[in-house]
Amino acid sequence: MNERHCILCGRQAFSLKVVNSYNISKCTGCGLEYADPMPTQAQLAAFYGDYADFRARTEVTRRNAERNLDGLLDKGYVGPQSRILDFGCGGNQFVAACRERGLGRSYGFDRYVFPDGDDLLVSLEDAERGGWDLICLWGVLEHLVDPVTTLRELRGMLAENGRIVCTTVCTEMRIPFQYKPPEHTLYFSRASFGELARASGLELVCVEDYFMEQDADVYLSILLRTMPDAYKARVSHSLPKFVEVPTNEVVAVFGR
Ligand SMILES: [Zn+2]
């Protein structure tokens, strides 16, 4: 029988379940759950080839980009002169929010979006020139197939006191999460962030619950998902159009 070892801390892992024909293993030490083996580049290409959602531009996405920026400004992680890289930027709403607020040295990079002519995007080569005060990974970590290598590379791209801020799914939240391999390959416990930091040569600064804004109608429909239709039709609300809601994600901050 072949032994499984955690890709972050190296301790023993066991096969937890099979989802979409991908095995999910769980570490007995740090609690990380992960696709084991990880999907291959060919499997990912086949999956993302007909995946159209990652550049979604909705009002909710824009509002949350602004909200994320507010959080970074409040904590003093960024200021007007900060060099900011949004790694895995999708439709680049976060950088648009930064620019609107006068943070003129912010750029997006996404391996699935080509920069041609868009001066808010940089190529991988430009991103790798480094000196970034802040690198953000909004909902990116759970997609990585080699998180330690990626974070080591990002560490090398940070300015001296630079930070990496990530939001990602956490398995220990009150809001349940879904297993979605090959799209989501990593499911973090709180303890596993410390192991990711250690393995990547980073310092873990904090892990906090992540809240977002949601369209109240959408939020209500999520809450009512398991309610029979006959009752659903009788539920109405007097919430504002957008509400702050808890999520199954955390914000993890790393320093070098
Ligand atoms: Zn582990």
Side-chain angles (χ1 to χ4, degrees), residues 6 9 27 30:
C6 176
C9 75
C27 173
C30 75

Side-chain angles (χ1 to χ4, degrees), residues 6 8-9 11 27-32 172 188-193 195:
C6 176
L8 296 185
C9 75
R11 281 173 282 183
C27 173
T28 57
C30 75
L32 178 78
E172 296 169 345
F188 287 87
S189 64
R190 288 179 189 273
S192 59
F193 290 103
E195 296 300 336

Side-chain angles (χ1 to χ4, degrees), residues 7 22 26 43 46-47 54 56 74 79 85 102 110-111 126 133 146 155 165 175 200 226-227 230 249 253:
I7 56 170
Y22 288 88
K26 183 180 175 88
Q43 286 171 318
F47 177 78
F54 70 96
D74 287 350
L85 177 68
D110 196 307
R111 58 179 294 204
D126 285 335
D133 298 303
D146 188 355
R155 179 186 182 279
V165 172
I175 311 283
S200 312
T226 57
M227 184 183 277
E249 294 186 46
V253 181

Side-chain angles (χ1 to χ4, degrees), residues 4-35:
R4 299 179 185 276
H5 292 281
C6 176
I7 56 170
L8 296 185
C9 75
R11 281 173 282 183
Q12 200 175 344
F14 63 93
S15 181
L16 180 70
K17 55 163 71 193
V18 174
V19 184
N20 304 338
S21 64
Y22 288 88
N23 173 68
I24 306 287
S25 288
K26 183 180 175 88
C27 173
T28 57
C30 75
L32 178 78
E33 297 176 25
Y34 57 101

